[in-house]
Amino acid sequence: MLLYAYVIQDNNEGLVNKHSLFKVGDTTSVAHKKTEKSLNTDTTAALDNDHHASRSFVFYAILLVIAIMLAISLTGFLRIRVISAHLDHVIHHQATQSAQMYEMRRASQDRLLILLAALIEPDPFTFDAHATAMGEAAERYMQARIPLMQMALNEQEHALLARQNDQTIQTGLYHTEVMNLLRDEQVSHAASVLISQTVPSQRLAMEMMDEFIQLKREQNLQTLQNTASSINNTYRLMLLLGGIGIVISLAIALVVSRRINNEMARRLRSEARLRKQELHERTIRDNIIDGVLTLHDDGRILSSNRACTTIFGYSKDALQGQLVSLLLPPARRQRLERRLPDYLRRWGARLTGTGKHFTCMRMDGSEFPAEMAISSISLDGEEVFIIVVRDISEQLAARQQLARMNQQLEHRVRERTEELSQANAMLRDEIDARVLNQQKLEHLAKHDSLTQLPNRANFSEQLDIAIHQARRHQRLVALLFLDLDGFKAINDQHGHGIGDKILIEVAQRLSLALRREDMVARMGGDEFTVLLREINKAEDATLVAQKLIETINRPYLIDEHLCQLGTSIGIAIFPHNARDPDNLLRLADDAMYAAKESGKNTWCLTAYTLSSPAQIQTAEAP
């Protein structure tokens, strides 16, 4: 950019090259031609020979310095790259092992949480779901452990993983024992095993996992320390090699400097008559794209190149001698002309060689954005400013076009994102609807559509389960068969709508009157069944039957109609009366009919046993 500085620093260039730089387009400087004719031919030849030798010496000296610096840089680069690659490999390997162990630890925690959930809410309906979830957690544990065991491990890590695996297997046995106890509804015993055996074993296994993770952290720390030590050694080696390179470079620079100084002295003596003209002519370079203006220290234009004519529309003669403020808009021109010399000096001192944006004006009055860079040099003791001007209209237009394209692209991205979000929302709604429909279908398959009580199929399934558990734990199960007394008359008198509402109210009363572990189901019409789990004696079933009779006997106010119902209840006990669900249900049904024959609104307990004839014990009518 600074053309005058080019002349001062270019002390190694030959006379022939210097002469060629005086050309402006297709014309040749007249002053240069006159000076060239005055040179002595023998002196020019001698200077050319010295210049060629000096250039060869400098060239090989620079190559030597570059080779030394490249060797030092490549040595450090390769060393650091090897250390970095080793560090990346070790850290990645150890991080992968830690991640696998974290996954094993989460899987073990999930098993314990699932076990706690099953213990807190021992519901037979969710037991299979808990068991499945524990199986999935165990599978995730094995999926994380198998890759970990296939990795390169030392003896300490192998031993630690072996002890941890043994402890985990023992913990798994405790988990299985607790789940078996929960399946058998031994909740208190399961809680005791969980607290006394499972939790301590789980804690010990997880402590071993944490010990493995801590070991990996210590190994990472040791690796980082070793790497830091290697890097420090590399830095010391680089400093040593750099010092050697600097010493060699200084020695070469000293020799080159002496050689150049000697040549400069000879050249300066021979070129004294040409210096003033060369320094003036070589500042004008019409073969560059940017406009170049040379200014006096008062701001008047000394010269301009051809590019200035293209940019501003003024000829060289029109610009010469004018203030540089002529190239600015009138509003800024008036403010700048009063302090132009001081402004040039401050601008040159602060922004030498750097660009600053201005709004300039052409000869026809049109304005355009431009970037200007200023430099100052001294010619024969006088300060001269050089301004390089570049028209940036096309650059700004391109930037604005790019900004508009980016905005359009962002708008399209936002639209596409919104479309995808809407599609995802619709898909989620459809999935939720399908899940809800599936749940409704499952509920309808096992529940009565009117009262929402379990239906006959669901009751038969639960009766089978209750008898199986009672047989296994040698407990009693009572089956109550209820038939409403007086319901047909209400249905005929008030209609099926009132009858349906009464059935719903009866279902709600029965559900509230029973324990949580007991079950009430609608068998059809006005017939209901009640399953009493874990009773201590047959008299407990009769007490529940009496309570249900009292519950149903309370008046019903349905749509301003006051209704009264009764119920006949038949009772059968497992295993006293029967050992299979079908016979137990049949005996309870027979007992219910016996209660109706004895006067209704009462209960009957069958006394049938496998070793005695059928007998029925009927309660006294209240």
Side-chain angles (χ1 to χ4, degrees):
M1 187 185 296
L2 304 181
L3 303 180
Y4 289 153
Y6 177 84
V7 176
I8 296 175
Q9 296 175 0
D10 190 21
N11 296 311
N12 296 322
E13 187 175 355
L15 291 177
V16 177
N17 294 333
K18 290 178 180 181
H19 298 162
S20 63
L21 293 176
F22 284 123
K23 295 180 180 179
V24 180
D26 297 331
T27 62
T28 306
S29 173
V30 177
H32 169 63
K33 290 182 180 179
K34 293 181 179 179
T35 304
E36 182 181 8
K37 293 179 180 179
S38 65
L39 291 176
N40 183 273
T41 305
D42 295 334
T43 303
T44 303
L47 289 174
D48 288 340
N49 293 334
D50 291 340
H51 173 67
H52 179 72
S54 298
R55 290 186 64 179
S56 299
F57 179 81
V58 172
F59 176 77
Y60 289 113
I62 292 175
L63 282 182
L64 180 59
V65 173
I66 292 175
I68 293 173
M69 292 305 176
L70 283 177
I72 294 172
S73 300
L74 287 176
T75 301
F77 175 78
L78 292 176
R79 176 64 178 167
I80 292 175
R81 186 173 182 180
V82 171
I83 294 173
S84 177
H86 176 70
L87 177 62
D88 291 342
H89 174 73
V90 173
I91 293 299
H92 175 73
H93 183 72
Q94 294 177 355
T96 302
Q97 292 178 347
S98 298
Q100 296 298 114
M101 183 54 72
Y102 273 119
E103 183 61 25
M104 294 167 57
R105 194 177 189 279
R106 284 194 295 269
S108 298
Q109 287 178 338
D110 291 343
R111 282 177 60 86
L112 183 58
L113 293 176
I114 294 168
L115 198 62
L116 289 173
L119 182 62
I120 293 173
E121 188 177 2
D123 190 349
F125 294 98
T126 61
F127 179 83
D128 292 338
H130 289 313
T132 302
M134 290 191 66
E136 292 174 352
E139 184 177 356
R140 287 194 290 112
Y141 173 87
M142 293 305 299
Q143 289 177 353
R145 176 176 174 78
I146 291 174
L148 178 61
M149 296 302 297
Q150 293 174 351
M151 297 179 182
L153 302 172
N154 55 35
E155 295 182 358
Q156 181 182 3
E157 294 168 345
H158 271 296
L160 179 59
L161 288 178
R163 289 189 289 110
Q164 179 269 327
N165 187 52
D166 294 339
Q167 188 63 39
T168 302
I169 293 174
Q170 182 62 39
T171 305
L173 296 177
Y174 291 144
H175 288 171
T176 303
E177 182 180 356
V178 172
M179 289 299 291
N180 290 334
L181 292 173
L182 290 176
R183 181 184 292 109
D184 298 336
E185 299 185 355
Q186 299 184 23
V187 179
S188 59
H189 190 189
S192 175
V193 173
L194 178 65
I195 295 173
S196 63
Q197 296 179 355
T198 307
V199 173
S201 179
Q202 179 88 21
R203 185 183 299 112
L204 183 58
M206 296 184 71
E207 288 176 355
M208 293 180 183
M209 296 180 188
D210 293 338
E211 182 180 354
F212 182 86
I213 295 172
Q214 182 62 30
L215 178 62
K216 287 293 144 184
R217 291 176 180 171
E218 294 174 358
Q219 290 177 355
N220 286 339
L221 180 60
Q222 184 63 36
T223 302
L224 292 175
Q225 292 175 351
N226 294 338
T227 304
S229 176
S230 300
I231 292 175
N232 290 333
N233 294 335
T234 303
Y235 285 155
R236 295 189 187 97
L237 177 61
M238 291 291 293
L239 290 175
L240 177 60
L241 294 177
I244 296 173
I246 290 173
V247 171
I248 297 175
S249 300
L250 289 176
I252 295 174
L254 180 61
V255 174
V256 172
S257 177
R258 290 180 179 177
R259 188 72 174 265
I260 292 175
N261 288 335
N262 294 334
E263 184 178 354
M264 287 177 62
R266 294 194 299 270
R267 292 168 66 86
L268 289 175
R269 287 192 300 269
S270 302
E271 298 171 0
R273 291 174 296 176
L274 303 176
R275 181 174 300 277
K276 186 175 181 179
Q277 295 179 358
E278 290 180 359
L279 291 177
H280 178 70
E281 292 289 335
R282 294 184 62 163
T283 56
I284 309 300
R285 298 290 299 272
D286 287 338
N287 58 342
I288 63 176
I289 299 175
D290 297 332
V292 179
L293 299 168
T294 57
L295 308 178
H296 195 266
D297 58 359
D298 62 355
R300 296 189 178 277
I301 300 174
L302 296 176
S303 62
S304 61
N305 64 347
R306 187 181 298 114
C308 288
T309 301
T310 304
I311 294 174
F312 294 102
Y314 294 97
S315 64
K316 291 184 179 181
D317 296 337
L319 287 177
Q320 189 170 1
Q322 298 291 334
L323 290 175
V324 71
S325 58
L326 176 67
L327 306 177
L328 300 176
R332 186 172 179 82
R333 182 189 310 167
Q334 295 175 359
R335 295 196 304 269
L336 188 62
E337 286 179 352
R338 295 192 297 269
R339 50 190 179 89
L340 185 59
D342 294 336
Y343 182 80
L344 289 174
R345 291 187 180 90
R346 291 197 302 270
W347 186 18
R350 290 181 298 177
L351 300 174
T352 299
T354 60
K356 186 176 181 181
H357 288 184
F358 285 88
T359 299
C360 297
M361 188 177 70
R362 299 185 179 91
M363 183 179 178
D364 59 4
S366 60
E367 298 181 0
F368 66 95
E371 184 180 56
M372 293 187 181
I374 187 171
S375 299
S376 63
I377 61 174
S378 179
L379 288 178
D380 294 335
E382 295 182 359
E383 187 176 19
V384 177
F385 296 97
I386 301 175
I387 296 180
V388 179
V389 183
R390 175 175 296 175
D391 187 351
I392 59 173
S393 301
E394 295 182 357
Q395 296 181 10
L396 294 180
R399 292 176 184 174
Q400 293 174 358
Q401 180 64 21
L402 181 60
R404 288 193 296 269
M405 292 175 64
N406 288 336
Q407 291 177 356
Q408 294 175 359
L409 179 60
E410 291 176 357
H411 180 68
R412 289 197 297 269
V413 170
R414 286 194 298 269
E415 289 180 348
R416 184 57 178 166
T417 302
E418 292 177 359
E419 292 176 359
L420 292 176
S421 299
Q422 294 175 359
N424 289 335
M426 293 175 62
L427 181 59
R428 286 195 299 269
D429 293 341
E430 183 178 354
I431 293 174
D432 293 340
R434 290 186 178 183
V435 171
L436 182 60
N437 290 334
Q438 183 65 27
Q439 292 175 351
K440 290 181 178 179
L441 290 176
E442 293 178 356
H443 181 81
L444 291 174
K446 292 187 176 183
H447 291 78
D448 177 54
S449 59
L450 176 63
T451 63
Q452 301 303 316
L453 291 177
N455 57 16
R456 179 184 294 270
N458 193 356
F459 180 80
S460 299
E461 181 180 347
Q462 294 301 316
L463 181 60
D464 289 339
I465 295 174
I467 290 178
H468 174 74
Q469 293 177 350
R471 182 183 294 113
R472 183 172 183 178
H473 301 290
Q474 297 182 355
R475 295 175 180 172
L476 300 180
V477 172
L479 173 60
L480 280 64
F481 200 106
L482 289 75
D483 186 83
L484 300 181
D485 297 330
F487 176 76
K488 185 177 183 303
I490 294 175
N491 211 16
D492 294 340
Q493 181 180 358
H494 300 292
H496 294 285
I498 300 297
D500 290 344
K501 292 181 180 180
I502 289 179
L503 290 176
I504 295 173
E505 177 68 21
V506 169
Q508 293 176 352
R509 291 186 183 184
L510 292 176
S511 299
L512 294 175
L514 296 174
R515 300 175 302 176
R516 185 176 182 180
E517 60 267 23
D518 297 333
M519 179 183 183
V520 59
R522 184 187 180 198
M523 304 301 286
D526 58 349
E527 294 180 344
F528 297 85
T529 54
V530 174
L531 177 62
L532 303 179
R533 297 183 176 93
E534 299 183 8
I535 61 174
N536 296 322
K537 51 187 177 179
E539 287 75 7
D540 294 341
T542 62
L543 295 176
V544 173
Q546 187 61 41
K547 179 181 179 181
L548 296 180
I549 292 173
E550 295 172 356
T551 299
I552 294 176
N553 285 342
R554 295 200 304 268
Y556 298 83
L557 182 60
I558 306 297
D559 296 341
E560 298 181 356
H561 296 288
L562 185 63
C563 304
Q564 189 73 36
L565 283 178
T567 182
S568 299
I569 302 176
I571 306 172
I573 307 296
F574 171 87
H576 296 339
N577 305 131
R579 294 181 181 177
D580 60 273
D582 293 337
N583 286 327
L584 193 67
L585 183 62
R586 180 181 56 80
L587 291 175
D589 189 20
D590 294 342
M592 182 270 295
Y593 280 109
K596 282 185 176 293
E597 292 174 358
S598 63
K600 299 184 179 180
N601 200 31
T602 185
W603 56 264
C604 289
L605 172 63
T606 179
Y608 175 86
T609 63
L610 299 178
S611 59
S612 63
Q615 298 178 8
I616 295 180
Q617 179 184 352
T618 304
E620 296 181 358

